[in-house]
Tab-separated table of all heavy atoms in Angstrom:
chain	number	residue	atom	x	y	z
B	193	ILE	N	29.053	97.738	140.780
B	193	ILE	CA	29.978	98.719	140.197
B	193	ILE	C	30.942	98.026	139.249
B	193	ILE	O	31.225	98.521	138.155
B	193	ILE	CB	30.741	99.479	141.302
B	193	ILE	CG1	29.759	100.319	142.113
B	193	ILE	CG2	31.841	100.345	140.708
B	193	ILE	CD1	30.349	100.899	143.386
B	194	LEU	N	31.423	96.864	139.651
B	194	LEU	CA	32.346	96.097	138.801
B	194	LEU	C	31.666	95.735	137.483
B	194	LEU	O	32.230	95.908	136.408
B	194	LEU	CB	32.773	94.827	139.542
B	194	LEU	CG	33.825	93.975	138.870
B	194	LEU	CD1	35.170	94.685	138.873
B	194	LEU	CD2	33.939	92.630	139.582
B	195	ARG	N	30.421	95.270	137.575
B	195	ARG	CA	29.663	94.838	136.402
B	195	ARG	C	29.318	95.998	135.479
B	195	ARG	O	29.453	95.900	134.266
B	195	ARG	CB	28.383	94.122	136.855
B	195	ARG	CG	27.450	93.753	135.725
B	195	ARG	CD	26.182	93.048	136.206
B	195	ARG	NE	25.442	93.806	137.192
B	195	ARG	CZ	25.266	93.412	138.455
B	195	ARG	NH1	25.755	92.284	138.878
B	195	ARG	NH2	24.586	94.152	139.296
B	196	SER	N	28.881	97.117	136.042
B	196	SER	CA	28.360	98.195	135.207
B	196	SER	C	29.384	99.256	134.831
B	196	SER	O	29.186	99.960	133.841
B	196	SER	CB	27.163	98.851	135.885
B	196	SER	OG	27.551	99.399	137.128
B	197	VAL	N	30.469	99.385	135.562
B	197	VAL	CA	31.444	100.436	135.266
B	197	VAL	C	32.766	99.856	134.777
B	197	VAL	O	33.207	100.136	133.662
B	197	VAL	CB	31.672	101.354	136.492
B	197	VAL	CG1	32.707	102.423	136.176
B	197	VAL	CG2	30.367	101.999	136.944
B	198	VAL	N	33.410	99.040	135.599
B	198	VAL	CA	34.751	98.558	135.254
B	198	VAL	C	34.718	97.666	134.017
B	198	VAL	O	35.504	97.864	133.080
B	198	VAL	CB	35.406	97.818	136.447
B	198	VAL	CG1	36.775	97.293	136.062
B	198	VAL	CG2	35.504	98.739	137.654
B	199	ALA	N	33.823	96.694	133.987
B	199	ALA	CA	33.778	95.762	132.849
B	199	ALA	C	33.399	96.464	131.554
B	199	ALA	O	33.720	95.988	130.467
B	199	ALA	CB	32.799	94.628	133.133
B	200	HIS	N	32.753	97.615	131.646
B	200	HIS	CA	32.314	98.343	130.444
B	200	HIS	C	33.145	99.597	130.191
B	200	HIS	O	32.724	100.478	129.437
B	200	HIS	CB	30.835	98.710	130.561
B	200	HIS	CG	29.941	97.526	130.479
B	200	HIS	ND1	29.544	96.975	129.281
B	200	HIS	CD2	29.379	96.759	131.449
B	200	HIS	CE1	28.771	95.929	129.518
B	200	HIS	NE2	28.657	95.773	130.823
B	201	ALA	N	34.311	99.693	130.792
B	201	ALA	CA	35.137	100.900	130.682
B	201	ALA	C	35.557	101.204	129.249
B	201	ALA	O	35.774	102.358	128.903
B	201	ALA	CB	36.372	100.768	131.572
B	202	LEU	N	35.661	100.190	128.417
B	202	LEU	CA	36.143	100.408	127.052
B	202	LEU	C	35.031	100.347	126.009
B	202	LEU	O	35.312	100.298	124.815
B	202	LEU	CB	37.230	99.383	126.719
B	202	LEU	CG	38.463	99.430	127.612
B	202	LEU	CD1	39.466	98.375	127.198
B	202	LEU	CD2	39.089	100.803	127.600
B	203	ASP	N	33.785	100.364	126.425
B	203	ASP	CA	32.672	100.265	125.473
B	203	ASP	C	32.689	101.389	124.445
B	203	ASP	O	32.485	101.152	123.260
B	203	ASP	CB	31.328	100.260	126.198
B	203	ASP	CG	31.030	98.938	126.866
B	203	ASP	OD1	31.904	98.051	126.844
B	203	ASP	OD2	29.923	98.795	127.415
B	204	TYR	N	32.892	102.620	124.905
B	204	TYR	CA	32.902	103.733	123.955
B	204	TYR	C	34.023	103.543	122.938
B	204	TYR	O	33.810	103.654	121.731
B	204	TYR	CB	33.065	105.077	124.677
B	204	TYR	CG	33.280	106.199	123.695
B	204	TYR	CD1	32.215	106.713	122.966
B	204	TYR	CD2	34.553	106.717	123.468
B	204	TYR	CE1	32.410	107.726	122.038
B	204	TYR	CE2	34.752	107.726	122.541
B	204	TYR	CZ	33.681	108.228	121.826
B	204	TYR	OH	33.884	109.217	120.908
B	205	ASP	N	35.214	103.248	123.437
B	205	ASP	CA	36.362	103.057	122.539
B	205	ASP	C	36.102	101.914	121.567
B	205	ASP	O	36.468	101.994	120.402
B	205	ASP	CB	37.624	102.780	123.360
B	205	ASP	CG	37.954	103.934	124.281
B	205	ASP	OD1	38.327	105.003	123.774
B	205	ASP	OD2	37.818	103.766	125.509
B	206	ALA	N	35.478	100.860	122.050
B	206	ALA	CA	35.194	99.704	121.199
B	206	ALA	C	34.209	100.042	120.101
B	206	ALA	O	34.241	99.438	119.024
B	206	ALA	CB	34.653	98.554	122.041
B	207	GLY	N	33.347	100.996	120.345
B	207	GLY	CA	32.375	101.387	119.341
B	207	GLY	C	32.930	102.293	118.261
B	207	GLY	O	32.404	102.355	117.161
B	208	VAL	N	34.008	103.022	118.564
B	208	VAL	CA	34.518	104.001	117.605
B	208	VAL	C	35.908	103.683	117.073
B	208	VAL	O	36.318	104.261	116.075
B	208	VAL	CB	34.507	105.434	118.204
B	208	VAL	CG1	33.101	105.862	118.531
B	208	VAL	CG2	35.414	105.539	119.411
B	209	LEU	N	36.620	102.796	117.728
B	209	LEU	CA	37.973	102.454	117.289
B	209	LEU	C	38.015	101.028	116.755
B	209	LEU	O	37.235	100.178	117.192
B	209	LEU	CB	38.963	102.562	118.461
B	209	LEU	CG	39.167	103.939	119.069
B	209	LEU	CD1	40.035	103.831	120.319
B	209	LEU	CD2	39.792	104.888	118.068
B	210	PRO	N	38.930	100.732	115.848
B	210	PRO	CA	39.078	99.347	115.387
B	210	PRO	C	39.468	98.433	116.554
B	210	PRO	O	40.178	98.845	117.474
B	210	PRO	CB	40.221	99.436	114.363
B	210	PRO	CG	40.287	100.863	113.971
B	210	PRO	CD	39.820	101.658	115.151
B	211	CYS	N	39.009	97.203	116.492
B	211	CYS	CA	39.297	96.231	117.552
B	211	CYS	C	40.802	96.075	117.783
B	211	CYS	O	41.234	95.873	118.904
B	211	CYS	CB	38.696	94.871	117.211
B	211	CYS	SG	36.922	94.814	117.407
B	212	ARG	N	41.588	96.185	116.716
B	212	ARG	CA	43.031	95.971	116.865
B	212	ARG	C	43.673	97.005	117.774
B	212	ARG	O	44.738	96.761	118.323
B	212	ARG	CB	43.710	95.949	115.502
B	212	ARG	CG	43.738	97.268	114.796
B	212	ARG	CD	44.454	97.185	113.459
B	212	ARG	NE	44.354	98.444	112.759
B	212	ARG	CZ	43.358	98.809	111.968
B	212	ARG	NH1	42.362	97.961	111.763
B	212	ARG	NH2	43.343	99.977	111.395
B	213	LEU	N	43.026	98.162	117.955
B	213	LEU	CA	43.556	99.166	118.868
B	213	LEU	C	43.102	98.934	120.305
B	213	LEU	O	43.817	99.255	121.246
B	213	LEU	CB	43.124	100.572	118.433
B	213	LEU	CG	43.754	101.134	117.179
B	213	LEU	CD1	43.206	102.521	116.889
B	213	LEU	CD2	45.262	101.184	117.309
B	214	VAL	N	41.904	98.396	120.471
B	214	VAL	CA	41.313	98.282	121.806
B	214	VAL	C	41.629	96.936	122.471
B	214	VAL	O	41.906	96.881	123.666
B	214	VAL	CB	39.787	98.514	121.747
B	214	VAL	CG1	39.171	98.466	123.132
B	214	VAL	CG2	39.479	99.855	121.077
B	215	LEU	N	41.605	95.855	121.700
B	215	LEU	CA	41.791	94.518	122.287
B	215	LEU	C	43.069	94.340	123.095
B	215	LEU	O	43.042	93.665	124.121
B	215	LEU	CB	41.704	93.447	121.205
B	215	LEU	CG	40.293	93.040	120.808
B	215	LEU	CD1	40.328	92.086	119.623
B	215	LEU	CD2	39.535	92.428	121.953
B	216	PRO	N	44.203	94.922	122.688
B	216	PRO	CA	45.401	94.727	123.512
B	216	PRO	C	45.267	95.258	124.936
B	216	PRO	O	46.008	94.844	125.822
B	216	PRO	CB	46.490	95.489	122.753
B	216	PRO	CG	46.014	95.534	121.351
B	216	PRO	CD	44.511	95.614	121.436
B	217	TYR	N	44.324	96.154	125.180
B	217	TYR	CA	44.164	96.747	126.510
B	217	TYR	C	43.122	96.034	127.357
B	217	TYR	O	42.969	96.345	128.530
B	217	TYR	CB	43.813	98.236	126.373
B	217	TYR	CG	44.938	98.983	125.735
B	217	TYR	CD1	44.975	99.166	124.363
B	217	TYR	CD2	46.005	99.440	126.495
B	217	TYR	CE1	46.031	99.812	123.766
B	217	TYR	CE2	47.070	100.081	125.899
B	217	TYR	CZ	47.081	100.262	124.539
B	217	TYR	OH	48.141	100.884	123.940
B	218	THR	N	42.403	95.102	126.768
B	218	THR	CA	41.346	94.423	127.521
B	218	THR	C	41.900	93.421	128.524
B	218	THR	O	41.253	93.156	129.530
B	218	THR	CB	40.360	93.703	126.584
B	218	THR	OG1	41.064	92.727	125.822
B	218	THR	CG2	39.654	94.683	125.675
B	219	GLY	N	43.064	92.865	128.269
B	219	GLY	CA	43.618	91.840	129.157
B	219	GLY	C	43.819	92.323	130.571
B	219	GLY	O	43.497	91.620	131.535
B	220	ARG	N	44.329	93.538	130.721
B	220	ARG	CA	44.571	94.076	132.065
B	220	ARG	C	43.248	94.286	132.803
B	220	ARG	O	43.144	93.999	134.000
B	220	ARG	CB	45.345	95.383	131.973
B	220	ARG	CG	46.769	95.177	131.471
B	220	ARG	CD	47.512	96.471	131.228
B	220	ARG	NE	47.587	97.276	132.434
B	220	ARG	CZ	47.778	98.595	132.420
B	220	ARG	NH1	47.905	99.228	131.281
B	220	ARG	NH2	47.836	99.263	133.548
B	221	ILE	N	42.247	94.763	132.089
B	221	ILE	CA	40.943	94.972	132.731
B	221	ILE	C	40.293	93.624	133.017
B	221	ILE	O	39.685	93.437	134.072
B	221	ILE	CB	40.048	95.881	131.878
B	221	ILE	CG1	40.678	97.270	131.777
B	221	ILE	CG2	38.647	95.977	132.473
B	221	ILE	CD1	39.930	98.240	130.900
B	222	ASP	N	40.441	92.654	132.096
B	222	ASP	CA	39.926	91.302	132.333
B	222	ASP	C	40.472	90.739	133.650
B	222	ASP	O	39.729	90.187	134.460
B	222	ASP	CB	40.328	90.348	131.211
B	222	ASP	CG	39.471	90.458	129.975
B	222	ASP	OD1	38.408	91.104	130.026
B	222	ASP	OD2	39.866	89.890	128.947
B	223	GLU	N	41.778	90.870	133.835
B	223	GLU	CA	42.412	90.346	135.053
B	223	GLU	C	41.894	91.045	136.297
B	223	GLU	O	41.633	90.405	137.322
B	223	GLU	CB	43.927	90.498	134.957
B	223	GLU	CG	44.566	89.584	133.937
B	223	GLU	CD	46.041	89.899	133.718
B	223	GLU	OE1	46.629	90.644	134.540
B	223	GLU	OE2	46.593	89.403	132.724
B	224	ALA	N	41.742	92.377	136.226
B	224	ALA	CA	41.244	93.131	137.383
B	224	ALA	C	39.803	92.733	137.710
B	224	ALA	O	39.466	92.531	138.882
B	224	ALA	CB	41.339	94.630	137.109
B	225	VAL	N	38.977	92.606	136.690
B	225	VAL	CA	37.582	92.211	136.895
B	225	VAL	C	37.523	90.820	137.515
B	225	VAL	O	36.785	90.587	138.476
B	225	VAL	CB	36.796	92.269	135.560
B	225	VAL	CG1	35.469	91.536	135.659
B	225	VAL	CG2	36.591	93.705	135.129
B	226	ARG	N	38.309	89.914	136.980
B	226	ARG	CA	38.324	88.541	137.495
B	226	ARG	C	38.808	88.490	138.954
B	226	ARG	O	38.252	87.772	139.778
B	226	ARG	CB	39.210	87.692	136.593
B	226	ARG	CG	39.108	86.224	136.798
B	226	ARG	CD	39.948	85.530	135.717
B	226	ARG	NE	40.015	84.127	135.932
B	226	ARG	CZ	39.253	83.248	135.314
B	226	ARG	NH1	38.385	83.642	134.424
B	226	ARG	NH2	39.368	81.973	135.567
B	227	ARG	N	39.827	89.299	139.261
B	227	ARG	CA	40.370	89.317	140.630
B	227	ARG	C	39.327	89.814	141.627
B	227	ARG	O	39.106	89.206	142.673
B	227	ARG	CB	41.625	90.198	140.665
B	227	ARG	CG	42.300	90.239	142.029
B	227	ARG	CD	43.493	91.178	142.073
B	227	ARG	NE	43.053	92.573	141.961
B	227	ARG	CZ	43.322	93.371	140.940
B	227	ARG	NH1	44.037	92.928	139.919
B	227	ARG	NH2	42.889	94.617	140.918
B	228	VAL	N	38.663	90.928	141.298
B	228	VAL	CA	37.670	91.494	142.220
B	228	VAL	C	36.449	90.586	142.315
B	228	VAL	O	35.926	90.352	143.401
B	228	VAL	CB	37.270	92.920	141.784
B	228	VAL	CG1	36.172	93.473	142.675
B	228	VAL	CG2	38.485	93.847	141.816
B	229	ALA	N	36.016	90.049	141.187
B	229	ALA	CA	34.857	89.151	141.207
B	229	ALA	C	35.151	87.899	142.025
B	229	ALA	O	34.286	87.421	142.767
B	229	ALA	CB	34.458	88.777	139.787
B	230	ALA	N	36.358	87.381	141.902
B	230	ALA	CA	36.724	86.193	142.682
B	230	ALA	C	36.671	86.489	144.174
B	230	ALA	O	36.246	85.651	144.968
B	230	ALA	CB	38.121	85.715	142.288
B	231	ARG	N	37.069	87.685	144.546
B	231	ARG	CA	37.038	88.049	145.966
B	231	ARG	C	35.606	88.074	146.486
B	231	ARG	O	35.361	87.783	147.652
B	231	ARG	CB	37.716	89.386	146.202
B	231	ARG	CG	37.998	89.606	147.679
B	231	ARG	CD	38.666	90.919	147.944
B	231	ARG	NE	40.066	90.953	147.605
B	231	ARG	CZ	41.052	90.762	148.482
B	231	ARG	NH1	40.770	90.500	149.734
B	231	ARG	NH2	42.300	90.854	148.106
B	232	THR	N	34.625	88.376	145.627
B	232	THR	CA	33.231	88.333	146.079
B	232	THR	C	32.808	86.900	146.392
B	232	THR	O	31.880	86.682	147.147
B	232	THR	CB	32.256	88.943	145.044
B	232	THR	OG1	32.270	88.171	143.860
B	232	THR	CG2	32.590	90.385	144.748
B	233	PHE	N	33.507	85.927	145.791
B	233	PHE	CA	33.278	84.514	146.108
B	233	PHE	C	34.089	84.084	147.323
B	233	PHE	O	33.996	82.950	147.755
B	233	PHE	CB	33.719	83.609	144.941
B	233	PHE	CG	32.779	83.578	143.784
B	233	PHE	CD1	33.109	84.207	142.597
B	233	PHE	CD2	31.586	82.894	143.854
B	233	PHE	CE1	32.258	84.159	141.511
B	233	PHE	CE2	30.727	82.848	142.777
B	233	PHE	CZ	31.062	83.484	141.599
B	234	GLY	N	34.956	84.963	147.820
B	234	GLY	CA	35.837	84.605	148.929
B	234	GLY	C	37.022	83.791	148.460
B	234	GLY	O	37.537	82.953	149.195
B	235	ALA	N	37.473	84.029	147.236
B	235	ALA	CA	38.592	83.274	146.668
B	235	ALA	C	39.521	84.229	145.929
B	235	ALA	O	39.268	85.428	145.855
B	235	ALA	CB	38.059	82.212	145.697
B	236	THR	N	40.588	83.662	145.395
B	236	THR	CA	41.460	84.435	144.513
B	236	THR	C	41.129	84.033	143.080
B	236	THR	O	40.499	82.998	142.854
B	236	THR	CB	42.949	84.155	144.788
B	236	THR	OG1	43.215	82.786	144.482
B	236	THR	CG2	43.317	84.451	146.232
B	237	ALA	N	41.570	84.829	142.129
B	237	ALA	CA	41.277	84.537	140.720
B	237	ALA	C	41.833	83.175	140.322
B	237	ALA	O	41.210	82.444	139.556
B	237	ALA	CB	41.836	85.632	139.824
B	238	ALA	N	42.993	82.814	140.843
B	238	ALA	CA	43.602	81.524	140.505
B	238	ALA	C	42.804	80.348	141.073
B	238	ALA	O	42.861	79.243	140.534
B	238	ALA	CB	45.037	81.470	141.015
B	239	GLU	N	42.080	80.586	142.159
B	239	GLU	CA	41.319	79.510	142.805
B	239	GLU	C	39.946	79.272	142.171
B	239	GLU	O	39.286	78.294	142.509
B	239	GLU	CB	41.113	79.833	144.289
B	239	GLU	CG	42.384	79.847	145.095
B	239	GLU	CD	42.176	80.353	146.515
B	239	GLU	OE1	41.131	80.979	146.794
B	239	GLU	OE2	43.062	80.113	147.341
B	240	LEU	N	39.512	80.159	141.279
B	240	LEU	CA	38.194	79.983	140.663
B	240	LEU	C	38.177	78.729	139.809
B	240	LEU	O	39.050	78.527	138.962
B	240	LEU	CB	37.837	81.171	139.775
B	240	LEU	CG	37.382	82.448	140.450
B	240	LEU	CD1	37.056	83.500	139.399
B	240	LEU	CD2	36.197	82.224	141.350
């Protein structure tokens, strides 16, 4: 679910909007994806 839904949440926007509008919002999703993915390793994002 993380791979196919959360990480791709902005795909539509990225296809129709200029990058300068979408890129500022990717950081928060990047952090969330990294945090959840790290937990699948049994770690925190900082410990990766």
Side-chain angles (χ1 to χ4, degrees):
I193 295 169
L194 185 69
R195 174 180 56 245
S196 61
V197 179
V198 178
H200 291 277
L202 300 180
D203 285 5
Y204 172 76
D205 299 292
V208 298
L209 296 173
C211 286
R212 69 179 175 273
L213 289 179
V214 183
L215 279 174
Y217 296 92
T218 60
R220 292 174 59 203
I221 296 177
D222 280 348
E223 290 172 14
V225 165
R226 192 174 174 98
R227 182 183 69 246
V228 176
R231 194 180 284 263
T232 64
F233 284 108
T236 64
E239 294 172 344
L240 283 181

